[in-house]
């Protein structure tokens, strides 16, 4: 029973994390095209974090940062 509750809590936590990533606000300076370029890298970074793959996550966030070097939201995720 305790194992099932733990798994349920982890599942809900990961679902909330993924849902939050999909509604990420990149600020007013991010154009539609810029968002189109950034979202795949951010999504891959979030997925890698969920899997515990820090190296891939950092690499994806660095790619997003290279595409939007002045975007504070991207900088925060890389940090």
């Amino acid at each position: 029973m305790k194992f099932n509750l733990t798994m349920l809590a982890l599942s809900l936590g990961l679902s909330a994390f993924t849902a939050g990533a999909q509604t990420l606000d990149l600020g007013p300076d991010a154009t539609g095209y810029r968002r189109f370029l950034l979202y795949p890298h951010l999504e891959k970074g979030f997925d890698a974090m969920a899997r515990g793959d820090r190296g891939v996550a950092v690499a994806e966030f660095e790619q997003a940062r290279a595409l939007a070097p002045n975007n504070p939201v991207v900088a925060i995720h890389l940090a």
Side-chain angles (χ1 to χ4, degrees):
M1 179 71 174
K2 184 176 182 180
F3 177 75
N4 289 339
L5 291 176
T6 303
M7 292 304 293
L8 177 63
L10 286 173
S11 301
L12 292 174
L14 288 176
S15 303
F17 180 76
T18 304
Q22 292 173 353
T23 60
L24 185 64
D25 181 15
L26 296 174
D29 63 328
T31 63
Y33 181 69
R34 180 71 47 144
R35 291 171 201 267
F36 174 76
L37 294 175
L38 292 174
Y39 271 119
H41 294 291
L42 296 174
E43 290 272 331
K44 289 177 186 176
F46 295 135
D47 289 343
M49 283 179 20
R51 290 190 318 269
D53 193 347
R54 182 181 181 272
V56 171
V58 169
E60 291 297 335
F61 290 135
E62 285 175 342
Q63 286 290 327
R65 183 74 172 157
L67 292 169
N70 297 324
N71 189 298
V73 176
V74 174
I76 287 171
H77 288 296
L78 179 56

